[in-house]
Structures are given as structure tokens and as C-alpha cells.
Amino acid sequence: MSESTMRGSSALARVLGLLREPPGEPDVTAGYLDLLGPAPQRRPSLAQSAMESTFLPQIYERVWRPIGFNVAKGWPIGPDTATEHAMTRDWLGLSQPGRAARPPATVLDVACGPGNITRALAGGVGHGGLVVGLDASQTMLTRAVADTPPPGTGDADIHYVRGDAVDLPFRDETFDAVCCFGALYLFDDPWTALDGMTRVLRPGGRLTILTSRHPLPLRTVRLGGELIRRATGYTVFGDREVTRALADRGFTRIRQRRYPLMQVVGGVRH
Ligand SMILES: C[S@@+](CC[C@H](N)C(=O)[O-])C[C@H]1O[C@@H](n2cnc3c(N)ncnc32)[C@H](O)[C@@H]1O
């Protein structure tokens, strides 16, 4: 058995060990662990339909993400993608690529899309670490698997899981760090998703979220946000809404970076 196949099986075994109800016959035919199967999911919103198309994953990381997100973060003043990655690793208590002392952390990337953030997180994790990317979209995960170097290439293992972010399949207090970028605003029930992210973090573990933000705390803007949510399924969060939600769930050391149309919020689980 090659080194890569052995590392792949061992990463899968580790992921199965993190699950609340590991399947008897795990389906990994597509290169990721599929926990949702072929059963039709509930009707997706307009925003979520785009994520399940075959086209978006092809242009997501190189075109859609840098243009859309960098503008929302206030380009050219806001952080570019590399700065965002470095800050995320830092906020999550990881290290930076190339540094000698990188923690062997167990990390979850919720709604990982094509694995762009998952791979960036793995760069800050040392030998023995495990980074799990979870998403519901088959097309996004197919792209994630294709773009991720095989196990044994880097220090940390990376594995992808098809699952629901609003009903995380992992056991309580499993992860040292949880990240959810560019997705909380797509979830039908973001607060239940946040409960789940809190539940799977170990005490002292860190959570970081990049999500939408109202540019102005005006009633008219809030009403506009509500209309957008109803029409597209995209939620625009208030300036203090996500920090308050973390405080309500017992997070400490809460911090926030505000950008014109986005925010990064982080905290440490009590
Ligand atoms: C814009 S992409 C974000 C990708 C990456 N995290 C980033 O920051 O660039 C949003 C992802 O959220 C996923 N998603 C939306 N709702 C989900 C749910 N309920 N469960 C799992 N994934 C979900 C979509 O499939 C899509 O891949």
C-alpha cells in the first residue's frame, strides 16, 4: 500500500471516530465521506442553488471569491485573500505555513466549498493534525477533492465530509478550532448552526466566522436586508448580532473586524 493510500485510510478512520453515528458502510466513492446520500435535500434557496451548480465551483476560488469577497471587505483598503488566511490561522490559534512549531490541531471548516479555506488552515497545522472540511454541495466537494493534494503531501491530514452545517454530525467537544467562512448567511437557521459549532468545540477551543454585515444600522437598510433574505435566502447580519450570539453562547475573548459589507468575528469557547 502506498504512503498516500495509507494516510488516506487513516484520515478516514480518524474522521469516522469523530462522528456521533459513524455509518456501518461509509460511502467514500466520490473521494469524500458522504453522509447525506442520494435522498433529495429540502428545496434550496436561490443562493444555495448557485453553490450546487457545476459552474460556480470551477470559478469560485480564482474569480468569484477574490472579486466578490475582496470588494465586500473594502478592497483596496481591506485585507486580500492571503492576509485573510493568515489572520484566520492566527485567530484560530494555529501557526503559519513554514514555521517549525505548528500545533497538531483537529480543525473543522464548516461549509468549506471547494476547500480553499480548508487548505489554508491545514498550512497552519503540524504533523498529526487533522483538518475536516464539511459541505452539503456535491459539486463543491468534488472540486475540493480535486484541488487538495493527496494525503501524505503535507503535515496535516485533510478530509472532506458531505453533511449539513445546521445539524453537524460530529461528537461534542471534538475540535480545537472551528471556522465558518462565507456561509453563515446561506444557512436556513444560522443560530442552530452556531449552536452546533459551539457544541463540537472543546472548552478553550476557538471559533472564527466570516459573514455578511449591514453597512448601516438604519431601519430601512434592515428592511432591505429582510427583503433580500426572503427573495434569495441570503441573510445580512447586523453589526452586533453575531458578537452578541457568541456572548450568549458563553464565548469569551470575543473580537470583531468590521468591513463595509462583511465582518470577521472570533471567540474562545468557555
Ligand atoms: C460561498 S461558499 C464558502 C466557501 C468557503 N468557506 C469560503 O469562505 O470561500 C458557501 C458554501 O456553503 C455551503 N452550504 C450552504 N448551506 C449549507 C449547509 N446547510 N450545510 C453545508 N454546507 C452548506 C455551500 O454548499 C457552499 O459551498
Side-chain angles (χ1 to χ4, degrees):
M1 208 190 271
S2 71
E3 152 87 351
S4 155
T5 314
M6 277 189 331
R7 284 275 296 266
S9 332
S10 106
L12 173 62
R14 290 176 73 188
V15 173
L16 290 170
L18 304 178
L19 296 176
R20 280 201 285 200
E21 293 172 29
E25 292 186 23
D27 177 1
V28 284
T29 46
Y32 51 81
L33 174 64
D34 192 341
L35 298 176
L36 297 182
Q41 308 300 304
R42 62 200 174 292
R43 217 171 125 232
S45 66
L46 193 65
Q48 181 56 21
S49 299
M51 302 298 155
E52 284 169 15
S53 70
T54 46
F55 176 65
L56 187 58
Q58 307 312 320
I59 59 151
Y60 182 82
E61 187 169 356
R62 285 174 198 273
V63 182
W64 181 284
R65 178 59 152 85
I67 295 178
F69 280 50
N70 287 353
V71 167
K73 286 182 290 173
W75 184 88
I77 298 166
D80 61 12
T81 306
T83 310
E84 178 195 319
H85 288 174
M87 180 182 129
T88 309
R89 287 187 289 258
D90 182 42
W91 282 31
L92 288 173
L94 308 177
S95 186
Q96 301 297 336
R99 290 209 188 139
R102 279 171 293 143
T106 304
V107 181
L108 174 63
D109 181 20
V110 177
C112 63
N116 47 320
I117 301 293
T118 320
R119 290 184 290 276
L121 297 177
V125 175
H127 188 71
L130 174 66
V131 185
V132 180
L134 175 135
D135 203 281
S137 161
Q138 291 166 300
T139 55
M140 283 288 188
L141 287 170
T142 299
R143 183 74 199 205
V145 170
D147 286 353
T148 300
T153 314
D155 282 340
D157 285 333
I158 298 179
H159 212 289
Y160 294 101
V161 173
R162 182 162 172 255
D164 186 358
V166 183
D167 183 17
L168 287 174
F170 305 103
R171 289 192 280 109
D172 297 359
E173 304 184 1
T174 301
F175 294 96
D176 300 306
V178 174
C179 179
C180 179
F181 272 27
L184 195 71
Y185 46 68
L186 296 174
F187 301 158
D188 310 336
D189 186 345
W191 306 126
T192 300
L194 192 56
D195 287 338
M197 294 181 223
T198 309
R199 177 183 66 73
V200 303
L201 259 183
R202 67 164 173 78
R206 299 188 189 200
L207 173 67
T208 302
I209 292 172
L210 168 72
T211 191
S212 55
R213 171 178 172 263
H214 276 303
L216 298 166
L218 295 175
R219 192 175 142 69
T220 43
V221 180
R222 279 207 302 274
L223 284 176
E226 181 55 22
L227 289 178
I228 293 172
R229 195 185 66 75
R230 287 193 191 178
T232 66
Y234 181 96
T235 304
V236 187
F237 292 102
D239 191 47
R240 309 300 304 172
E241 219 177 337
V242 184
T243 48
R244 216 180 291 126
L246 258 58
D248 290 347
R249 285 160 182 78
F251 279 84
T252 59
R253 291 160 62 190
I254 295 169
R255 50 186 171 175
Q256 179 183 35
R257 281 273 165 89
R258 295 185 180 87
Y259 306 115
L261 296 173
M262 291 201 128
Q263 54 185 320
V264 183
V265 175
V268 177
R269 194 191 152 182
H270 184 59

mmCIF file of all heavy atoms in Angstrom, residues 40-84:
data_model
loop_
_atom_site.group_PDB
_atom_site.id
_atom_site.type_symbol
_atom_site.label_atom_id
_atom_site.label_comp_id
_atom_site.label_asym_id
_atom_site.label_seq_id
_atom_site.Cartn_x
_atom_site.Cartn_y
_atom_site.Cartn_z
ATOM 1 N N PRO A 40 -33.193 13.347 -1.796
ATOM 2 C CA PRO A 40 -33.291 14.776 -2.115
ATOM 3 C C PRO A 40 -33.297 15.603 -0.829
ATOM 4 O O PRO A 40 -33.983 15.257 0.133
ATOM 5 C CB PRO A 40 -34.613 14.902 -2.863
ATOM 6 C CG PRO A 40 -35.354 13.636 -2.602
ATOM 7 C CD PRO A 40 -34.369 12.589 -2.199
ATOM 8 N N GLN A 41 -32.504 16.669 -0.816
ATOM 9 C CA GLN A 41 -32.488 17.570 0.339
ATOM 10 C C GLN A 41 -33.674 18.520 0.173
ATOM 11 O O GLN A 41 -34.305 18.562 -0.862
ATOM 12 C CB GLN A 41 -31.178 18.364 0.369
ATOM 13 C CG GLN A 41 -29.935 17.499 0.285
ATOM 14 C CD GLN A 41 -29.845 16.517 1.450
ATOM 15 O OE1 GLN A 41 -29.875 16.936 2.595
ATOM 16 N NE2 GLN A 41 -29.761 15.239 1.162
ATOM 17 N N ARG A 42 -33.948 19.306 1.225
ATOM 18 C CA ARG A 42 -35.061 20.258 1.090
ATOM 19 C C ARG A 42 -34.757 21.271 -0.019
ATOM 20 O O ARG A 42 -33.600 21.452 -0.395
ATOM 21 C CB ARG A 42 -35.319 20.955 2.422
ATOM 22 C CG ARG A 42 -34.149 21.741 2.875
ATOM 23 C CD ARG A 42 -34.224 22.017 4.345
ATOM 24 N NE ARG A 42 -33.002 22.664 4.759
ATOM 25 C CZ ARG A 42 -31.834 22.073 4.781
ATOM 26 N NH1 ARG A 42 -31.698 20.829 4.381
ATOM 27 N NH2 ARG A 42 -30.753 22.721 5.164
ATOM 28 N N ARG A 43 -35.806 21.934 -0.527
ATOM 29 C CA ARG A 43 -35.636 22.815 -1.676
ATOM 30 C C ARG A 43 -34.629 23.924 -1.363
ATOM 31 O O ARG A 43 -34.791 24.652 -0.387
ATOM 32 C CB ARG A 43 -36.990 23.431 -2.033
ATOM 33 C CG ARG A 43 -37.124 23.554 -3.523
ATOM 34 C CD ARG A 43 -38.521 23.945 -3.919
ATOM 35 N NE ARG A 43 -38.434 25.134 -4.741
ATOM 36 C CZ ARG A 43 -39.120 26.237 -4.520
ATOM 37 N NH1 ARG A 43 -39.935 26.331 -3.517
ATOM 38 N NH2 ARG A 43 -38.997 27.258 -5.319
ATOM 39 N N PRO A 44 -33.570 24.030 -2.175
ATOM 40 C CA PRO A 44 -32.564 25.031 -1.839
ATOM 41 C C PRO A 44 -33.018 26.445 -2.189
ATOM 42 O O PRO A 44 -33.819 26.638 -3.101
ATOM 43 C CB PRO A 44 -31.369 24.625 -2.716
ATOM 44 C CG PRO A 44 -31.932 23.825 -3.838
ATOM 45 C CD PRO A 44 -33.224 23.244 -3.368
ATOM 46 N N SER A 45 -32.494 27.427 -1.456
ATOM 47 C CA SER A 45 -32.757 28.826 -1.783
ATOM 48 C C SER A 45 -32.002 29.163 -3.076
ATOM 49 O O SER A 45 -31.161 28.382 -3.539
ATOM 50 C CB SER A 45 -32.250 29.724 -0.649
ATOM 51 O OG SER A 45 -30.841 29.608 -0.592
ATOM 52 N N LEU A 46 -32.264 30.343 -3.595
ATOM 53 C CA LEU A 46 -31.577 30.786 -4.823
ATOM 54 C C LEU A 46 -30.058 30.807 -4.600
ATOM 55 O O LEU A 46 -29.275 30.317 -5.422
ATOM 56 C CB LEU A 46 -32.084 32.194 -5.169
ATOM 57 C CG LEU A 46 -31.746 32.732 -6.543
ATOM 58 C CD1 LEU A 46 -32.441 31.895 -7.612
ATOM 59 C CD2 LEU A 46 -32.217 34.194 -6.631
ATOM 60 N N ALA A 47 -29.656 31.371 -3.447
ATOM 61 C CA ALA A 47 -28.216 31.467 -3.153
ATOM 62 C C ALA A 47 -27.601 30.071 -3.056
ATOM 63 O O ALA A 47 -26.508 29.819 -3.582
ATOM 64 C CB ALA A 47 -28.006 32.238 -1.851
ATOM 65 N N GLN A 48 -28.288 29.149 -2.394
ATOM 66 C CA GLN A 48 -27.744 27.797 -2.232
ATOM 67 C C GLN A 48 -27.725 27.037 -3.559
ATOM 68 O O GLN A 48 -26.818 26.252 -3.816
ATOM 69 C CB GLN A 48 -28.541 27.037 -1.155
ATOM 70 C CG GLN A 48 -28.070 25.632 -0.864
ATOM 71 C CD GLN A 48 -26.591 25.552 -0.449
ATOM 72 O OE1 GLN A 48 -26.008 26.532 -0.001
ATOM 73 N NE2 GLN A 48 -25.978 24.405 -0.655
ATOM 74 N N SER A 49 -28.718 27.302 -4.442
ATOM 75 C CA SER A 49 -28.731 26.630 -5.751
ATOM 76 C C SER A 49 -27.447 26.946 -6.516
ATOM 77 O O SER A 49 -26.888 26.079 -7.194
ATOM 78 C CB SER A 49 -29.900 27.099 -6.610
ATOM 79 O OG SER A 49 -31.073 26.807 -5.989
ATOM 80 N N ALA A 50 -26.998 28.195 -6.420
ATOM 81 C CA ALA A 50 -25.764 28.583 -7.129
ATOM 82 C C ALA A 50 -24.591 27.744 -6.631
ATOM 83 O O ALA A 50 -23.729 27.321 -7.415
ATOM 84 C CB ALA A 50 -25.489 30.060 -6.911
ATOM 85 N N MET A 51 -24.580 27.451 -5.318
ATOM 86 C CA MET A 51 -23.471 26.686 -4.734
ATOM 87 C C MET A 51 -23.497 25.228 -5.195
ATOM 88 O O MET A 51 -22.506 24.528 -5.124
ATOM 89 C CB MET A 51 -23.553 26.703 -3.199
ATOM 90 C CG MET A 51 -23.526 28.077 -2.606
ATOM 91 S SD MET A 51 -21.981 28.906 -3.001
ATOM 92 C CE MET A 51 -22.488 30.611 -2.894
ATOM 93 N N GLU A 52 -24.654 24.785 -5.645
ATOM 94 C CA GLU A 52 -24.757 23.391 -6.075
ATOM 95 C C GLU A 52 -24.626 23.232 -7.588
ATOM 96 O O GLU A 52 -24.696 22.125 -8.109
ATOM 97 C CB GLU A 52 -26.075 22.805 -5.559
ATOM 98 C CG GLU A 52 -25.926 22.519 -4.081
ATOM 99 C CD GLU A 52 -27.209 22.192 -3.358
ATOM 100 O OE1 GLU A 52 -28.199 21.897 -4.016
ATOM 101 O OE2 GLU A 52 -27.175 22.252 -2.119
ATOM 102 N N SER A 53 -24.433 24.343 -8.294
ATOM 103 C CA SER A 53 -24.272 24.265 -9.750
ATOM 104 C C SER A 53 -22.913 23.642 -10.064
ATOM 105 O O SER A 53 -22.033 23.556 -9.197
ATOM 106 C CB SER A 53 -24.340 25.670 -10.351
ATOM 107 O OG SER A 53 -23.172 26.385 -9.992
ATOM 108 N N THR A 54 -22.751 23.220 -11.315
ATOM 109 C CA THR A 54 -21.433 22.681 -11.683
ATOM 110 C C THR A 54 -20.495 23.818 -12.080
ATOM 111 O O THR A 54 -19.279 23.664 -12.044
ATOM 112 C CB THR A 54 -21.541 21.694 -12.867
ATOM 113 O OG1 THR A 54 -22.369 22.283 -13.860
ATOM 114 C CG2 THR A 54 -22.127 20.369 -12.439
ATOM 115 N N PHE A 55 -21.062 24.978 -12.433
ATOM 116 C CA PHE A 55 -20.233 26.074 -12.945
ATOM 117 C C PHE A 55 -19.484 26.816 -11.820
ATOM 118 O O PHE A 55 -18.275 27.024 -11.900
ATOM 119 C CB PHE A 55 -21.122 27.046 -13.728
ATOM 120 C CG PHE A 55 -20.382 28.255 -14.216
ATOM 121 C CD1 PHE A 55 -19.358 28.126 -15.156
ATOM 122 C CD2 PHE A 55 -20.692 29.521 -13.737
ATOM 123 C CE1 PHE A 55 -18.656 29.239 -15.604
ATOM 124 C CE2 PHE A 55 -19.996 30.635 -14.175
ATOM 125 C CZ PHE A 55 -18.981 30.507 -15.113
ATOM 126 N N LEU A 56 -20.224 27.209 -10.765
ATOM 127 C CA LEU A 56 -19.600 28.057 -9.737
ATOM 128 C C LEU A 56 -18.326 27.454 -9.129
ATOM 129 O O LEU A 56 -17.320 28.157 -8.978
ATOM 130 C CB LEU A 56 -20.616 28.434 -8.653
ATOM 131 C CG LEU A 56 -20.116 29.451 -7.630
ATOM 132 C CD1 LEU A 56 -19.681 30.748 -8.285
ATOM 133 C CD2 LEU A 56 -21.171 29.726 -6.566
ATOM 134 N N PRO A 57 -18.328 26.151 -8.785
ATOM 135 C CA PRO A 57 -17.084 25.615 -8.197
ATOM 136 C C PRO A 57 -15.871 25.768 -9.117
ATOM 137 O O PRO A 57 -14.742 25.866 -8.643
ATOM 138 C CB PRO A 57 -17.407 24.123 -7.986
ATOM 139 C CG PRO A 57 -18.897 24.076 -7.862
ATOM 140 C CD PRO A 57 -19.419 25.157 -8.763
ATOM 141 N N GLN A 58 -16.105 25.844 -10.430
ATOM 142 C CA GLN A 58 -14.973 25.953 -11.367
ATOM 143 C C GLN A 58 -14.305 27.330 -11.283
ATOM 144 O O GLN A 58 -13.111 27.465 -11.523
ATOM 145 C CB GLN A 58 -15.420 25.704 -12.825
ATOM 146 C CG GLN A 58 -16.174 24.401 -13.060
ATOM 147 C CD GLN A 58 -15.480 23.189 -12.444
ATOM 148 O OE1 GLN A 58 -14.263 23.068 -12.494
ATOM 149 N NE2 GLN A 58 -16.263 22.314 -11.832
ATOM 150 N N ILE A 59 -15.100 28.354 -10.991
ATOM 151 C CA ILE A 59 -14.530 29.709 -10.987
ATOM 152 C C ILE A 59 -14.471 30.303 -9.576
ATOM 153 O O ILE A 59 -14.027 31.419 -9.385
ATOM 154 C CB ILE A 59 -15.362 30.661 -11.883
ATOM 155 C CG1 ILE A 59 -16.823 30.724 -11.392
ATOM 156 C CG2 ILE A 59 -15.300 30.254 -13.349
ATOM 157 C CD1 ILE A 59 -17.493 32.036 -11.703
ATOM 158 N N TYR A 60 -14.929 29.511 -8.595
ATOM 159 C CA TYR A 60 -15.109 30.078 -7.253
ATOM 160 C C TYR A 60 -13.809 30.647 -6.671
ATOM 161 O O TYR A 60 -13.737 31.820 -6.310
ATOM 162 C CB TYR A 60 -15.699 29.020 -6.299
ATOM 163 C CG TYR A 60 -15.927 29.601 -4.926
ATOM 164 C CD1 TYR A 60 -17.068 30.334 -4.659
ATOM 165 C CD2 TYR A 60 -14.968 29.466 -3.930
ATOM 166 C CE1 TYR A 60 -17.257 30.918 -3.420
ATOM 167 C CE2 TYR A 60 -15.155 30.043 -2.692
ATOM 168 C CZ TYR A 60 -16.301 30.764 -2.437
ATOM 169 O OH TYR A 60 -16.470 31.353 -1.218
ATOM 170 N N GLU A 61 -12.778 29.812 -6.582
ATOM 171 C CA GLU A 61 -11.587 30.225 -5.836
ATOM 172 C C GLU A 61 -10.774 31.311 -6.553
ATOM 173 O O GLU A 61 -10.233 32.207 -5.920
ATOM 174 C CB GLU A 61 -10.697 29.006 -5.549
ATOM 175 C CG GLU A 61 -9.541 29.363 -4.627
ATOM 176 C CD GLU A 61 -8.794 28.153 -4.103
ATOM 177 O OE1 GLU A 61 -9.218 27.007 -4.384
ATOM 178 O OE2 GLU A 61 -7.788 28.370 -3.405
ATOM 179 N N ARG A 62 -10.723 31.224 -7.890
ATOM 180 C CA ARG A 62 -9.854 32.163 -8.612
ATOM 181 C C ARG A 62 -10.560 33.448 -9.034
ATOM 182 O O ARG A 62 -9.914 34.475 -9.211
ATOM 183 C CB ARG A 62 -9.287 31.500 -9.861
ATOM 184 C CG ARG A 62 -8.195 30.529 -9.533
ATOM 185 C CD ARG A 62 -7.756 29.772 -10.762
ATOM 186 N NE ARG A 62 -7.032 28.597 -10.363
ATOM 187 C CZ ARG A 62 -5.740 28.584 -10.122
ATOM 188 N NH1 ARG A 62 -5.029 29.675 -10.254
ATOM 189 N NH2 ARG A 62 -5.143 27.477 -9.744
ATOM 190 N N VAL A 63 -11.875 33.384 -9.205
ATOM 191 C CA VAL A 63 -12.576 34.564 -9.734
ATOM 192 C C VAL A 63 -13.640 35.076 -8.745
ATOM 193 O O VAL A 63 -13.556 36.207 -8.245
ATOM 194 C CB VAL A 63 -13.249 34.229 -11.100
ATOM 195 C CG1 VAL A 63 -13.923 35.469 -11.673
ATOM 196 C CG2 VAL A 63 -12.236 33.655 -12.082
ATOM 197 N N TRP A 64 -14.616 34.248 -8.440
ATOM 198 C CA TRP A 64 -15.759 34.665 -7.619
ATOM 199 C C TRP A 64 -15.321 35.139 -6.231
ATOM 200 O O TRP A 64 -15.671 36.219 -5.776
ATOM 201 C CB TRP A 64 -16.719 33.481 -7.497
ATOM 202 C CG TRP A 64 -17.967 33.730 -6.705
ATOM 203 C CD1 TRP A 64 -18.092 33.808 -5.339
ATOM 204 C CD2 TRP A 64 -19.277 33.950 -7.232
ATOM 205 N NE1 TRP A 64 -19.388 34.026 -4.989
ATOM 206 C CE2 TRP A 64 -20.146 34.115 -6.130
ATOM 207 C CE3 TRP A 64 -19.803 33.993 -8.530
ATOM 208 C CZ2 TRP A 64 -21.511 34.337 -6.280
ATOM 209 C CZ3 TRP A 64 -21.174 34.206 -8.671
ATOM 210 C CH2 TRP A 64 -21.997 34.382 -7.555
ATOM 211 N N ARG A 65 -14.535 34.320 -5.558
ATOM 212 C CA ARG A 65 -14.156 34.612 -4.172
ATOM 213 C C ARG A 65 -13.294 35.872 -4.083
ATOM 214 O O ARG A 65 -13.628 36.805 -3.349
ATOM 215 C CB ARG A 65 -13.457 33.371 -3.609
ATOM 216 C CG ARG A 65 -12.893 33.410 -2.165
ATOM 217 C CD ARG A 65 -13.926 33.684 -1.164
ATOM 218 N NE ARG A 65 -13.785 33.210 0.161
ATOM 219 C CZ ARG A 65 -13.117 33.818 1.150
ATOM 220 N NH1 ARG A 65 -12.407 34.868 0.921
ATOM 221 N NH2 ARG A 65 -13.174 33.344 2.366
ATOM 222 N N PRO A 66 -12.183 35.950 -4.873
ATOM 223 C CA PRO A 66 -11.357 37.157 -4.737
ATOM 224 C C PRO A 66 -12.105 38.422 -5.129
ATOM 225 O O PRO A 66 -11.996 39.440 -4.423
ATOM 226 C CB PRO A 66 -10.165 36.927 -5.668
ATOM 227 C CG PRO A 66 -10.311 35.584 -6.259
ATOM 228 C CD PRO A 66 -11.560 34.931 -5.728
ATOM 229 N N ILE A 67 -12.888 38.386 -6.200
ATOM 230 C CA ILE A 67 -13.566 39.620 -6.611
ATOM 231 C C ILE A 67 -14.677 39.959 -5.613
ATOM 232 O O ILE A 67 -14.681 41.018 -4.993
ATOM 233 C CB ILE A 67 -14.136 39.504 -8.050
ATOM 234 C CG1 ILE A 67 -12.979 39.358 -9.045
ATOM 235 C CG2 ILE A 67 -14.992 40.719 -8.393
ATOM 236 C CD1 ILE A 67 -13.404 39.176 -10.485
ATOM 237 N N GLY A 68 -15.605 39.023 -5.426
ATOM 238 C CA GLY A 68 -16.772 39.296 -4.581
ATOM 239 C C GLY A 68 -16.390 39.624 -3.139
ATOM 240 O O GLY A 68 -16.819 40.632 -2.581
ATOM 241 N N PHE A 69 -15.566 38.779 -2.542
ATOM 242 C CA PHE A 69 -15.259 38.956 -1.121
ATOM 243 C C PHE A 69 -14.338 40.154 -0.893
ATOM 244 O O PHE A 69 -14.486 40.890 0.072
ATOM 245 C CB PHE A 69 -14.613 37.686 -0.536
ATOM 246 C CG PHE A 69 -15.611 36.612 -0.189
ATOM 247 C CD1 PHE A 69 -16.579 36.210 -1.096
ATOM 248 C CD2 PHE A 69 -15.576 35.985 1.046
ATOM 249 C CE1 PHE A 69 -17.496 35.206 -0.783
ATOM 250 C CE2 PHE A 69 -16.481 34.988 1.378
ATOM 251 C CZ PHE A 69 -17.442 34.590 0.457
ATOM 252 N N ASN A 70 -13.362 40.345 -1.787
ATOM 253 C CA ASN A 70 -12.452 41.460 -1.558
ATOM 254 C C ASN A 70 -13.177 42.799 -1.690
ATOM 255 O O ASN A 70 -12.891 43.744 -0.943
ATOM 256 C CB ASN A 70 -11.227 41.373 -2.477
ATOM 257 C CG ASN A 70 -10.280 40.251 -2.026
ATOM 258 O OD1 ASN A 70 -10.490 39.645 -0.965
ATOM 259 N ND2 ASN A 70 -9.268 39.956 -2.813
ATOM 260 N N VAL A 71 -14.134 42.884 -2.612
ATOM 261 C CA VAL A 71 -14.931 44.114 -2.719
ATOM 262 C C VAL A 71 -15.753 44.293 -1.431
ATOM 263 O O VAL A 71 -15.772 45.372 -0.830
ATOM 264 C CB VAL A 71 -15.850 44.069 -3.967
ATOM 265 C CG1 VAL A 71 -16.907 45.179 -3.909
ATOM 266 C CG2 VAL A 71 -15.024 44.178 -5.248
ATOM 267 N N ALA A 72 -16.386 43.210 -0.969
ATOM 268 C CA ALA A 72 -17.207 43.299 0.254
ATOM 269 C C ALA A 72 -16.353 43.647 1.473
ATOM 270 O O ALA A 72 -16.832 44.243 2.437
ATOM 271 C CB ALA A 72 -17.942 41.983 0.479
ATOM 272 N N LYS A 73 -15.055 43.285 1.423
ATOM 273 C CA LYS A 73 -14.160 43.614 2.547
ATOM 274 C C LYS A 73 -13.511 44.989 2.363
ATOM 275 O O LYS A 73 -12.645 45.375 3.141
ATOM 276 C CB LYS A 73 -13.065 42.544 2.669
ATOM 277 C CG LYS A 73 -13.577 41.220 3.242
ATOM 278 C CD LYS A 73 -12.459 40.202 3.406
ATOM 279 C CE LYS A 73 -11.976 39.721 2.069
ATOM 280 N NZ LYS A 73 -10.798 38.863 2.133
ATOM 281 N N GLY A 74 -13.911 45.701 1.301
ATOM 282 C CA GLY A 74 -13.439 47.076 1.135
ATOM 283 C C GLY A 74 -12.144 47.214 0.370
ATOM 284 O O GLY A 74 -11.345 48.118 0.627
ATOM 285 N N TRP A 75 -11.942 46.341 -0.624
ATOM 286 C CA TRP A 75 -10.754 46.469 -1.463
ATOM 287 C C TRP A 75 -10.679 47.880 -2.037
ATOM 288 O O TRP A 75 -11.716 48.435 -2.376
ATOM 289 C CB TRP A 75 -10.840 45.439 -2.607
ATOM 290 C CG TRP A 75 -9.624 45.438 -3.473
ATOM 291 C CD1 TRP A 75 -8.488 44.719 -3.304
ATOM 292 C CD2 TRP A 75 -9.431 46.208 -4.662
ATOM 293 N NE1 TRP A 75 -7.586 44.986 -4.306
ATOM 294 C CE2 TRP A 75 -8.145 45.907 -5.159
ATOM 295 C CE3 TRP A 75 -10.219 47.147 -5.362
ATOM 296 C CZ2 TRP A 75 -7.625 46.507 -6.316
ATOM 297 C CZ3 TRP A 75 -9.709 47.736 -6.509
ATOM 298 C CH2 TRP A 75 -8.424 47.414 -6.977
ATOM 299 N N PRO A 76 -9.519 48.536 -2.137
ATOM 300 C CA PRO A 76 -8.181 48.006 -1.871
ATOM 301 C C PRO A 76 -7.701 48.208 -0.434
ATOM 302 O O PRO A 76 -6.556 47.869 -0.117
ATOM 303 C CB PRO A 76 -7.318 48.815 -2.849
ATOM 304 C CG PRO A 76 -8.006 50.134 -2.939
ATOM 305 C CD PRO A 76 -9.480 49.870 -2.766
ATOM 306 N N ILE A 77 -8.576 48.756 0.437
ATOM 307 C CA ILE A 77 -8.116 49.003 1.815
ATOM 308 C C ILE A 77 -8.228 47.731 2.659
ATOM 309 O O ILE A 77 -7.378 47.435 3.484
ATOM 310 C CB ILE A 77 -8.951 50.144 2.449
ATOM 311 C CG1 ILE A 77 -8.728 51.423 1.629
ATOM 312 C CG2 ILE A 77 -8.579 50.374 3.902
ATOM 313 C CD1 ILE A 77 -9.705 52.517 1.919
ATOM 314 N N GLY A 78 -9.273 46.967 2.411
ATOM 315 C CA GLY A 78 -9.500 45.750 3.203
ATOM 316 C C GLY A 78 -8.462 44.679 2.898
ATOM 317 O O GLY A 78 -7.691 44.807 1.945
ATOM 318 N N PRO A 79 -8.440 43.621 3.700
ATOM 319 C CA PRO A 79 -7.427 42.579 3.542
ATOM 320 C C PRO A 79 -7.628 41.758 2.274
ATOM 321 O O PRO A 79 -8.762 41.471 1.892
ATOM 322 C CB PRO A 79 -7.637 41.686 4.773
ATOM 323 C CG PRO A 79 -9.069 41.893 5.141
ATOM 324 C CD PRO A 79 -9.414 43.298 4.762
ATOM 325 N N ASP A 80 -6.528 41.397 1.622
ATOM 326 C CA ASP A 80 -6.634 40.500 0.476
ATOM 327 C C ASP A 80 -6.745 39.061 1.002
ATOM 328 O O ASP A 80 -6.736 38.817 2.215
ATOM 329 C CB ASP A 80 -5.446 40.678 -0.483
ATOM 330 C CG ASP A 80 -4.123 40.360 0.188
ATOM 331 O OD1 ASP A 80 -4.127 39.799 1.309
ATOM 332 O OD2 ASP A 80 -3.079 40.676 -0.402
ATOM 333 N N THR A 81 -6.821 38.103 0.084
ATOM 334 C CA THR A 81 -7.072 36.723 0.496
ATOM 335 C C THR A 81 -5.939 36.180 1.370
ATOM 336 O O THR A 81 -6.192 35.522 2.387
ATOM 337 C CB THR A 81 -7.267 35.847 -0.762
ATOM 338 O OG1 THR A 81 -8.303 36.448 -1.555
ATOM 339 C CG2 THR A 81 -7.687 34.440 -0.402
ATOM 340 N N ALA A 82 -4.688 36.467 1.007
ATOM 341 C CA ALA A 82 -3.561 35.926 1.789
ATOM 342 C C ALA A 82 -3.566 36.490 3.210
ATOM 343 O O ALA A 82 -3.321 35.763 4.188
ATOM 344 C CB ALA A 82 -2.242 36.268 1.084
ATOM 345 N N THR A 83 -3.895 37.773 3.336
ATOM 346 C CA THR A 83 -3.946 38.390 4.674
ATOM 347 C C THR A 83 -5.097 37.785 5.481
ATOM 348 O O THR A 83 -4.964 37.530 6.685
ATOM 349 C CB THR A 83 -4.140 39.917 4.523
ATOM 350 O OG1 THR A 83 -3.175 40.398 3.599
ATOM 351 C CG2 THR A 83 -4.017 40.639 5.845
ATOM 352 N N GLU A 84 -6.222 37.554 4.807
ATOM 353 C CA GLU A 84 -7.379 36.934 5.481
ATOM 354 C C GLU A 84 -7.002 35.544 6.007
ATOM 355 O O GLU A 84 -7.326 35.186 7.142
ATOM 356 C CB GLU A 84 -8.530 36.834 4.462
ATOM 357 C CG GLU A 84 -9.779 36.176 5.013
ATOM 358 C CD GLU A 84 -10.740 35.783 3.881
ATOM 359 O OE1 GLU A 84 -10.920 36.556 2.928
ATOM 360 O OE2 GLU A 84 -11.303 34.676 3.953
#
